[in-house]
């Protein structure tokens, strides 16, 4: 005797532009074909009884997956209504009105969320935090809501003023990141972040460890291991200006250190055929950090040695940068003029000396 749910109709919103409907039987996940019956309605026929869940494939929409029981005779009609997935229609931006601030200034953060879809998005809310977990007040867009409704093509702007105090000056930065979304918030969101510098303070000493990440076949399930990378040049770049701040060469244990470093959020750079897979962000705060920051690399494209003339400060010794004058703080400009010319000449002489030493060593081995 044939067992079917010939009347299992899945009804969806016509705005959902339903692509397909599938029915699955428990853990076996047996897919039953469906056929359109009318706009927004599909029907599946099966000879299997038991519990089924219904899934709807509709780009940009989220549908619940209800479970239905199918026995002998006609099956149930299951109405479903979808909701827009925020990440498909919402876009977000975040920006400060300036690249750099001083202690005592007021930073202006501008956040926007735009609905690029063809239908209104209800209940739009957001959640943005500074480094350290301090929440940014979004007013009526504050999560969990109720939020606002964005019409098609609509944009909502939030302006947030953040006082630049001693805490932010010690960090050397103001970084805010977060996302806007709408119910169901977990189905997707539109993220954005913004970064501004607060230059002027310095850290006495920061240290790190450079290691090569590798997968060992002898480890259980190919667990990741690492080994120190000695003799590699490591440097820090200002994330906002791109200026090289300090540099050092790793010792036999892969350790490196920088002294008298400008505070802020910097990018780690490694010279050679390496790609950084962990530890790219290198935050430096006033007073330094007693911990050792781990930077992991793996073989990758050759990374050139940045030109020494891009150093933002004169470096009297490896890994040390001299303090900038108040007029330099916040300018984000690399040193120029006579000092830069002498550094370039010194670098050229160092390269020539190194080449002569290598050549002498090769002759000694022959």
């Amino acid at each position: 005797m044939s067992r079917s749910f010939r009347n299992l109709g899945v009804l969806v919103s016509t705005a959902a532009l339903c692509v397909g409907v599938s029915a699955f039987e428990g853990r076996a996940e047996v897919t039953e074909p469906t056929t359109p019956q009318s706009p927004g309605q599909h029907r599946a026929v099966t000879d299997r009884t038991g519990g089924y869940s219904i899934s709807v494939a509709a780009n940009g929409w989220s549908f619940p997956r209800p479970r239905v029981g199918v026995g002998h005779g006609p099956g149930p009609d299951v109405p479903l209504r979808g909701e827009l997935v925020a990440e498909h229609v919402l876009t977000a931006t975040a920006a400060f009105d300036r690249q750099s601030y001083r202690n005592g200034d007021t930073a202006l953060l501008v956040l926007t969320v735009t609905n690029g879809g063809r239908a209104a998005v209800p209940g739009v809310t957001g959640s943005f935090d500074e480094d350290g977990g301090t929440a940014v007040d979004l007013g009526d867009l504050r999560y969990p809501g109720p939020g606002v409704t964005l019409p098609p093509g609509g944009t909502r702007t939030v302006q947030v003023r953040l006082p630049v105090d001693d805490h932010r000056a010690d960090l050397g930065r103001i970084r805010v990141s977060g996302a806007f979304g709408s119910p169901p918030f977990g189905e997707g969101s539109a993220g954005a972040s913004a970064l501004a510098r607060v230059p002027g303070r310095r850290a006495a000493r920061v240290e790190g460890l450079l290691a090569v990440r590798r997968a060992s076949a002898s480890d259980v399930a190919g667990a990741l291991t690492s080994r120190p990378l000695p003799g590699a040049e490591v440097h820090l770049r200002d994330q906002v200006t791109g200026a090289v701040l300090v540099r050092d060469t790793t010792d036999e244990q892969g350790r490196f250190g920088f002294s008298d470093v400008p505070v802020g959020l910097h990018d780690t750079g490694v010279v050679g055929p390496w790609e950084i897979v962990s530890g790219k962000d290198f935050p430096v705060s006033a007073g330094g950090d007693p911990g050792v920051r781990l930077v992991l690399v793996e073989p990758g494209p050759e990374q050139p040695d940045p030109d020494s003339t891009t150093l933002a400060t004169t470096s009297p010794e490896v890994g040390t940068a001299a303090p900038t004058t108040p007029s330099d703080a916040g300018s984000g400009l690399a040193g120029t003029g006579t000092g830069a010319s002498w550094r370039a000449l010194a670098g050229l002489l160092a390269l020539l000396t190194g080449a002569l030493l290598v050549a002498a060593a090769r002759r000694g081995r022959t």
Side-chain angles (χ1 to χ4, degrees):
M1 175 172 145
S2 174
R3 298 183 294 254
S4 67
F5 53 110
R6 286 183 295 274
N7 292 333
L8 176 59
V10 182
L11 307 177
V12 297
S13 168
T14 55
L17 303 177
C18 179
V19 175
V21 179
S22 300
F24 299 91
E25 181 187 27
R27 296 181 181 177
E29 295 190 356
V30 178
T31 302
E32 302 291 350
T34 64
T35 56
Q37 300 298 300
S38 61
Q41 184 176 16
H42 283 249
R43 176 174 297 169
V45 178
T46 182
D47 60 358
R48 304 169 185 269
T49 61
Y52 282 75
S53 63
I54 311 299
S55 66
V56 179
N59 188 31
W61 293 79
S62 173
F63 285 84
R65 294 175 61 97
R67 291 188 61 84
V68 296
V70 176
H72 300 288
D77 288 342
V78 183
L80 299 177
R81 182 169 293 275
E83 297 186 27
L84 283 168
V85 177
E87 66 184 7
H88 291 279
V89 295
L90 294 184
T91 56
T93 63
F96 286 101
D97 64 331
R98 287 159 51 187
Q99 270 195 344
S100 180
Y101 301 95
R102 294 183 181 274
N103 193 7
D105 290 345
T106 298
L108 177 62
L109 173 67
V110 180
L111 302 169
T112 65
V113 55
T114 301
N115 175 14
R118 295 178 294 176
V121 180
V124 176
T125 60
S127 178
F128 283 79
D129 299 314
E130 281 190 74
D131 283 357
T134 303
V136 174
D137 187 1
L138 301 181
D140 55 2
L141 285 172
R142 186 188 306 111
Y143 180 79
V148 300
T149 297
L150 273 183
T155 296
R156 189 66 176 259
T157 300
V158 179
Q159 294 188 355
V160 182
R161 298 186 181 276
L162 302 172
V164 182
D165 53 15
D166 282 336
H167 171 67
R168 295 181 174 103
D170 281 343
L171 293 177
R173 66 187 184 276
I174 309 174
R175 183 170 65 170
V176 174
S177 58
F180 289 104
S182 69
F185 200 87
E187 294 292 339
S189 57
S193 64
L195 172 67
R197 301 169 66 240
V198 186
R201 300 188 179 182
R202 310 182 77 85
R205 181 76 176 172
V206 291
E207 296 182 344
L209 173 65
L210 181 65
V212 180
R213 187 181 74 166
R214 59 183 179 179
S216 174
S218 61
D219 290 341
V220 177
L224 293 177
T225 61
S226 60
R227 59 176 175 83
L229 180 59
E233 183 182 300
V234 184
H235 53 268
L236 297 183
R237 286 183 182 270
D238 188 294
Q239 276 200 358
V240 176
T241 67
V244 176
L245 302 172
V246 288
R247 64 179 74 210
D248 194 12
T249 301
T250 58
D251 63 15
E252 294 181 355
Q253 286 76 42
R255 295 174 300 189
F256 61 90
F258 306 115
S259 298
D260 195 22
V261 187
V263 297
L265 183 62
H266 308 315
D267 279 334
T268 312
V270 179
V271 176
W274 305 107
E275 180 178 2
I276 297 177
V277 294
S278 178
K280 181 70 173 177
D281 283 351
F282 201 105
V284 176
S285 58
D289 188 342
V292 176
R293 300 192 179 279
L294 177 63
V295 179
L296 293 178
V297 297
E298 61 185 21
E302 180 75 24
Q303 304 300 318
D305 186 355
D307 188 347
S308 62
T309 59
T310 63
L311 280 171
T313 54
T314 303
S315 181
E317 62 184 31
V318 174
T320 303
T324 57
T325 62
S327 61
D328 294 331
S331 67
L333 298 178
T336 57
T338 305
S341 299
W342 277 112
R343 284 197 299 274
L345 179 59
L348 178 60
L349 291 175
L351 289 175
L352 291 175
T353 302
L356 291 174
L357 290 174
V358 172
R362 289 177 175 171
R363 286 196 300 269
R365 289 195 299 267
T366 58

